[in-house]
Amino acid sequence: MSITHRLGAGQAALPVDRDDPSAGLSARKPPLLAAKSLRAMPLTRRYQSCWLTPEGAVQTSTRLAPATPLFEEAFSALARGSVLMTEDGPVAIEDLQPGQSVLTAEGRAERVCWIGSMVIYPGAETGRDLEEQVSLTRITAEAFGAGRPALDLVLGPRARLCLRDPRLRRVSGLEAAYVPARAFLDGISVIEVTPSAPVTVYHVVLEQHGSLRVAGLEVEAFHPGEGVERMIDPRMLSLFEAQFPQFASLAAFGPPAHPRLTRFEVESLWD
């Protein structure tokens, strides 16, 4: 038998079976499920891309995509004001355009085919991983030797430096490797900085992967990493590939110029 509860103003009648212990719960489940669904939805961020078409034209787009390390790494290596060496001389990252050629640490001139940017907002309530990404890395002048860097340099949260060190060769046999800039934090000459105002950060894709010459340091140009397409689901892969309209697939990035080491692998070199 079903009965109808007494209703308050504006409420709709719901039949309830008093012999069923779960009666009436169905009315409360949809809001709870909806709330859980909202909490499960990933945070999104606005990403801006500027790329070179096959015809040589420059196009731009702005897309919303998940605010996850996979996406943010492609847009957050160089802070506004970073100066790159190009065939035309020093150029600030915010003035660099697809089609210009930059000078790489590998001794080549490589054409820029894509530039991405995003804005870091301070004080955002995010998860632990995203909080780590909000911090920038300030490398003070000559922290790594004369002219390295020539002036203070602020790098984005996902920047990697090209390490060339005798200890690297002795331990791993590698002549060079890309390591997170954060691996060099010492609180004195390499400092973690939390921005107090919005900061625009950038990354660059070259026609052939290499190391950007930035203020006397070698910063890795963006590369998604080998085999990344096998590590993410097809829907996320499609969203990620859409950020790079100049390429038909991630395979077009080609091989990386040097292997990568984790922060922990780098720290083991100094032990």
Side-chain angles (χ1 to χ4, degrees), residues 152-204:
D152 283 14
L153 174 65
V154 178
L155 296 176
R158 295 289 176 176
R160 289 188 179 91
L161 299 177
C162 185
L163 176 65
R164 305 176 192 270
D165 189 281
R167 287 169 290 186
L168 176 65
R169 188 182 309 111
R170 185 170 59 251
V171 172
S172 64
L174 298 173
E175 293 293 327
Y178 292 122
V179 302
R182 292 171 57 85
F184 298 97
L185 290 172
D186 60 11
I188 301 173
S189 56
V190 183
I191 307 164
E192 186 176 35
V193 178
T194 301
S196 58
V199 176
T200 303
V201 288
Y202 303 80
H203 219 330
V204 174

Side-chain angles (χ1 to χ4, degrees), residues 225-232:
E226 293 184 295
V228 68
E229 63 274 11
R230 299 190 298 271
M231 304 176 190
I232 56 179

